[in-house]
Amino acid sequence: MTNLQIGLVHFMAFPEAREDDGSLLESLQRLALDPYWGCIELKAIASPEAEAQVAALFAGSHIDLLVGSQYTLPSQKLNLNSLDASLRQQSVDTIKRDLDQASRIGAKGLAVLSGPLEGSDSAARDQARVALTDSLSELAEYAVEVSPDPSQPLCLELETFDDTIDKRSLIGPSTAAVELATEVTTRVDNFGLLVDLSHLPLLGESPHHALETTAPFLTHLHIGNCLMRDEASPLYGDYHPPFGYPGSENDVEEVADFLSALLAIGYPERDYATRRPTLSFEVKPVPGQDPWLLLADNRRVLEAAWQLLEED
């Protein structure tokens, strides 16, 4: 599996653990016992007691932690590119608190997403891009301030999401993400882009196009699935159903294509904030599905995808 380490977006795989400290700690303990996992991505933890237990569990574990504030922002109706100055500042301040926690638990980085566009004309879009650039730059600078070792600061990442179907995020297409990252990295060094296979069909982009385009700024990858053929489905849009779910877009062949694309840009040979370049599963169980069975199936899909590449 080359030099990649495999991660898991915990709050997607275990939705019941989002607000239940018992489920959170039980699932994390079980994951920490399995050497397959090299990285766990957590939502912000509300309870100080649970935060302390998570920090203790992973201290010295050789498992990287990342914080996924992609959950924080939409769940609180926040928007880092809002044209409402008060809402934008509230959004920035909230993510700063997530960064504080990321530092306390020993995380290596934190990811965010852009908000929806407020307005439909080109002027509103230009203003939103300026607002987002300012927000990301401020957050990346703050990430350095709160890092235990400023020479190895927390990495701030922006994940690209669909811009027309579900999240309707400002960023968006890979070309727009690169334009933004080019501007942000003129101000800060600890910023990168996160690309998720789940979002590429929603964006109408192939893995090779998305990864080749974002390669100069790419710091992190997710693999998952989406459903976009049946608007009546409760899983329509960006709901991360299991691989191969009926009517969905991604299964073994699509994962293999994504692996081919990441190898083509040399992703496994780069240095990142995490110990090794990370490829994380982001898949959610459907109602009634055991998340542990889902994780086992994820692993089978990835192994089959690698085998498919080897056969080619």
Side-chain angles (χ1 to χ4, degrees), residues 20-286:
D20 183 338
D21 289 350
S23 295
L24 171 70
L25 295 167
E26 180 184 359
S27 56
L28 290 177
Q29 174 76 27
R30 186 168 169 180
L31 290 167
L33 289 169
D34 186 346
Y36 182 81
W37 304 107
C39 180
I40 304 294
E41 302 182 38
L42 300 166
K43 65 176 282 293
I45 304 167
S47 160
E49 294 78 15
E51 178 194 310
Q53 289 176 277
V54 169
L57 174 63
F58 289 101
S61 67
H62 295 81
I63 296 175
D64 289 325
L65 292 181
L66 297 170
V67 172
S69 291
Q70 309 99 313
Y71 182 85
T72 301
L73 290 162
S75 67
Q76 298 186 32
K77 295 182 170 54
L78 300 173
N79 185 345
L80 291 171
N81 46 267
S82 177
L83 302 184
D84 178 334
S86 176
L87 178 58
R88 187 180 76 83
Q89 192 58 54
Q90 180 187 352
S91 305
V92 169
D93 292 343
T94 299
I95 301 306
K96 283 183 177 180
R97 290 193 289 272
D98 283 5
L99 281 164
D100 290 337
Q101 182 175 91
S103 177
R104 291 194 298 267
I105 66 174
K108 298 297 181 69
L110 178 147
V112 296
L113 78 162
S114 59
L117 179 63
E118 299 170 344
S120 57
D121 58 17
S122 59
R125 183 174 295 276
D126 290 343
Q127 291 171 344
R129 284 175 176 163
V130 171
L132 182 59
T133 300
D134 290 343
S135 294
L136 295 172
S137 300
E138 182 176 347
L139 288 169
E141 290 169 355
Y142 187 77
V144 176
E145 292 177 21
V146 299
S147 296
D149 181 358
S151 69
Q152 295 181 306
L154 281 90
C155 181
L156 180 74
E157 298 173 325
L158 179 77
E159 183 172 4
T160 59
F161 279 76
D162 78 274
D163 62 340
T164 61
I165 294 176
D166 189 340
K167 294 294 190 296
R168 300 178 185 269
S169 295
L170 178 67
I171 310 294
S174 295
T175 51
V178 167
E179 290 172 4
L180 178 81
T182 301
E183 176 62 28
V184 174
T185 53
T186 64
R187 307 187 194 183
V188 296
D189 296 323
N190 57 322
F191 176 78
L193 297 174
L194 193 170
V195 171
D196 186 340
L197 173 62
S198 306
H199 303 150
L200 298 187
L202 299 169
L203 285 164
E205 297 187 6
S206 71
H208 284 270
H209 167 77
L211 298 193
E212 289 169 8
T213 301
T214 59
F217 303 100
L218 195 61
T219 54
H220 189 182
L221 294 173
H222 286 172
I223 52 172
N225 195 11
C226 69
L227 191 152
M228 54 185 289
R229 304 179 205 178
D230 180 8
E231 295 187 25
S233 170
L235 300 181
Y236 175 76
D238 185 26
Y239 282 88
H240 294 263
F243 291 110
Y245 189 82
S248 67
E249 299 299 318
N250 295 330
D251 203 350
V252 173
E253 290 188 4
E254 290 73 24
V255 173
D257 193 31
F258 194 77
L259 296 175
S260 173
L262 70 85
L263 292 175
I265 64 167
Y267 177 75
E269 282 71 55
R270 300 186 187 182
D271 291 326
Y272 297 102
T274 49
R275 290 177 177 84
R276 289 188 289 155
T278 299
L279 177 69
S280 290
F281 289 110
E282 187 173 8
V283 183
K284 184 179 180 180
V286 296

